[in-house]
């Protein structure tokens, strides 16, 4: 289980250092919910089950520089509707259940 502090860190999360003698050996990097979901869908090979979501198919899952780069040369669209359709076209079972 991965816990998320917020949907995506825009750089406003506090810098948290931990580990080592002075508790500064490592820096905590918060997980990024929408990036993780985007990567999981892109890497799906057999099935994608989405439960309990009301999907706005025009929403982008990436923001800023990642969005620009993905739109320019990414294999998959960062727009959730186009992404799910692409995976279905590849033969991945895509089920949306509300």
């Amino acid at each position: 289980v991965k816990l998320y502090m917020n949907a995506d860190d825009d750089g406003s999360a506090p810098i948290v250092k931990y580990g080592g003698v002075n508790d500064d050996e490592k820096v905590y990097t918060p997980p990024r919910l929408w990036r993780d979901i985007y990567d999981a869908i892109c890497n799906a090979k057999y099935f994608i089950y989405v439960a309990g979501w009301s999907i706005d198919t025009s929403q982008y899952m990436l923001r800023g520089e990642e969005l620009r780069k993905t739109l320019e040369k990414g294999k998959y669209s960062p727009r959730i509707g186009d992404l799910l359709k692409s995976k279905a076209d590849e033969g991945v079972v895509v089920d949306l259940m509300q």
Side-chain angles (χ1 to χ4, degrees):
V1 172
K2 189 180 278 191
L3 302 176
Y4 294 89
M5 182 171 77
N6 55 23
D8 203 359
D9 178 37
D10 61 0
S12 63
I15 296 173
V16 178
K17 295 181 179 183
Y18 66 98
V21 176
N22 297 317
D23 239 6
D24 63 357
E25 189 173 296
K26 298 178 184 179
V27 175
Y28 172 73
T29 303
R32 300 182 54 217
L33 175 68
W34 296 113
R35 180 72 215 203
D36 289 352
I37 292 173
Y38 176 78
D39 290 341
I41 292 172
C42 288
N43 293 321
K45 292 183 172 53
Y46 305 107
F47 59 88
I48 299 166
Y49 291 134
V50 180
W53 270 12
S54 177
I55 302 280
D56 178 353
T57 58
S58 66
Q59 289 292 317
Y60 287 98
M61 300 187 77
L62 304 176
R63 301 283 187 267
E65 188 67 17
E66 285 180 327
L67 174 60
R68 188 187 66 73
K69 286 181 179 178
T70 303
L71 287 171
E72 285 178 4
K73 55 186 171 186
K75 179 177 179 184
Y76 295 108
S77 172
R79 188 175 289 165
I80 184 67
D82 296 338
L83 176 58
L84 292 172
K85 184 176 180 327
S86 294
K87 294 308 290 188
D89 290 344
E90 289 178 4
V92 175
V93 174
V94 176
D95 287 333
L96 304 174
M97 301 168 278
Q98 289 188 338

